[in-house]
Amino acid sequence: MGNSALKAHLETAQKTGVFQLTGKGLTEFPEDLQKLTSNLRTIDLSNNKIELLPPLIGKFSFLKSLALNNNKLTALPEELCKLKKLETLHLNGNHLRQLPASFGQLSALKTLSLSGNQLRTVPTQLSGLRHLDVVDLSKNQIQNVPDTVGELQAIELNLNQNQISQISMQISHCPRLKVLRLEENCLELSMLPQSILSDSQISLLAVEGNLFEIKKLRELEGYDKYMERFTATKKKFA
């Protein structure tokens, strides 16, 4: 892409606060964007070939939304965690194995999408994010859900299409968790904590495509309690 095209995009972004350049085969984060660190609220560089997010990302202190879906990122810089106003982060379809240690400092984060990466566990850093609403960790390589999940503030957690065979009972202590998606994993019925049914806030539990028949779920203790929450929620949205 020529300089004049990039220049036009930068001029538009200066007025609108939105920089969107998707599907252009970019191999690196446009350095020229640092001229707009105080202007930009939204950056979308999805469907490119970017391998590295440079430390200068930490300078975009007013950024609310960052999308880098379908790139070639293998890691994220610690500087990303300086973005105190960031509410939405979309990183689907990259090669991420872990999150930066200080990821829990993204205090405004509400929506986090990490579908189609190479995560092996639910990152412990997520438990520190107080405003998190939706977390999508589907299509990763997660094998177990650790105890720290009990502190997760999210309303919806998507763990579909992983390799999960173990889930901590702490998941039933998530204070705001209403929707838990666990479809197409490696769960035996005996490994599903019954407290999810009997003693949690969860009103939608999706577990199709595991190592048990769905009708067996209905025989578990606490299923009636779960159905009460499920029905009450359905009525609310009907």
Side-chain angles (χ1 to χ4, degrees):
M1 191 184 67
N3 278 345
S4 56
L6 181 59
K7 205 174 165 195
H9 275 280
L10 289 168
E11 281 170 10
T12 308
Q14 195 164 2
K15 293 178 192 134
T16 61
V18 177
F19 185 83
Q20 186 176 30
L21 202 56
T22 59
K24 296 289 187 220
L26 294 182
T27 53
E28 50 189 49
F29 187 89
E31 292 272 315
D32 286 347
L33 279 185
Q34 48 189 328
K35 297 171 189 163
L36 301 177
T37 47
S38 57
N39 300 66
L40 290 183
R41 306 292 186 269
T42 300
I43 296 176
D44 186 355
L45 292 165
S46 297
N47 304 317
N48 282 295
K49 296 173 182 172
I50 298 168
E51 293 179 19
L52 210 62
L53 196 54
L56 68 87
I57 191 66
K59 294 180 183 171
F60 292 88
S61 40
F62 298 98
L63 201 63
K64 283 193 161 187
S65 172
L66 177 60
L68 284 152
N69 296 326
N70 305 317
N71 275 280
K72 296 181 183 251
L73 298 172
T74 53
L76 300 169
E78 289 290 339
E79 287 80 0
L80 175 70
C81 309
K82 292 179 182 170
L83 302 178
K84 299 291 182 225
K85 291 196 182 327
L86 193 68
E87 294 179 7
T88 308
L89 181 57
H90 291 295
L91 295 164
N92 301 326
N94 280 282
H95 309 293
L96 299 169
R97 291 172 184 271
Q98 57 192 37
L99 298 179
S102 43
F103 197 82
Q105 291 173 17
L106 289 170
S107 47
L109 201 62
K110 292 180 180 175
T111 303
L112 175 62
S113 301
L114 287 162
S115 180
N117 278 280
Q118 294 169 17
L119 299 172
R120 292 184 176 274
T121 186
V122 176
T124 55
Q125 297 94 313
L126 302 187
S127 300
L129 298 166
R130 292 281 159 246
H131 297 286
L132 211 50
D133 289 336
V134 179
V135 183
D136 185 355
L137 301 175
S138 61
K139 299 180 185 173
N140 275 277
Q141 296 162 15
I142 298 170
Q143 294 173 2
N144 66 345
V145 180
D147 287 350
T148 46
V149 76
E151 293 162 42
L152 192 68
Q153 298 290 323
I155 297 169
E156 176 169 346
L157 176 59
N158 186 343
L159 292 165
N160 289 347
Q161 292 179 299
N162 276 284
Q163 299 156 17
I164 297 167
S165 59
Q166 279 187 311
I167 300 179
S168 166
M169 282 182 66
Q170 297 298 323
I171 199 159
S172 47
H173 296 163
C174 292
R176 299 168 68 214
L177 191 60
K178 298 274 192 284
V179 179
L180 177 59
R181 301 185 187 280
L182 286 162
E183 295 178 62
E184 294 180 49
N185 276 284
C186 309
L187 282 168
E188 300 275 2
L189 190 57
S190 59
M191 287 295 167
L192 191 70
Q194 291 199 11
S195 52
I196 289 177
L197 298 171
S198 61
D199 196 24
S200 79
Q201 301 289 320
I202 295 165
S203 57
L204 178 63
L205 176 65
V207 287
E208 286 79 5
N210 279 281
L211 307 179
F212 58 87
E213 292 179 56
I214 290 297
K215 62 180 182 205
K216 296 277 189 221
L217 187 68
R218 298 177 196 137
E219 294 162 17
L220 289 185
E221 203 178 326
Y223 186 77
D224 294 349
K225 278 189 169 176
Y226 162 69
M227 280 313 291
E228 281 171 23
R229 296 192 302 273
F230 176 80
T231 312
T233 306
K234 254 188 139 166
K235 278 188 184 146
K236 203 159 54 175
F237 291 107

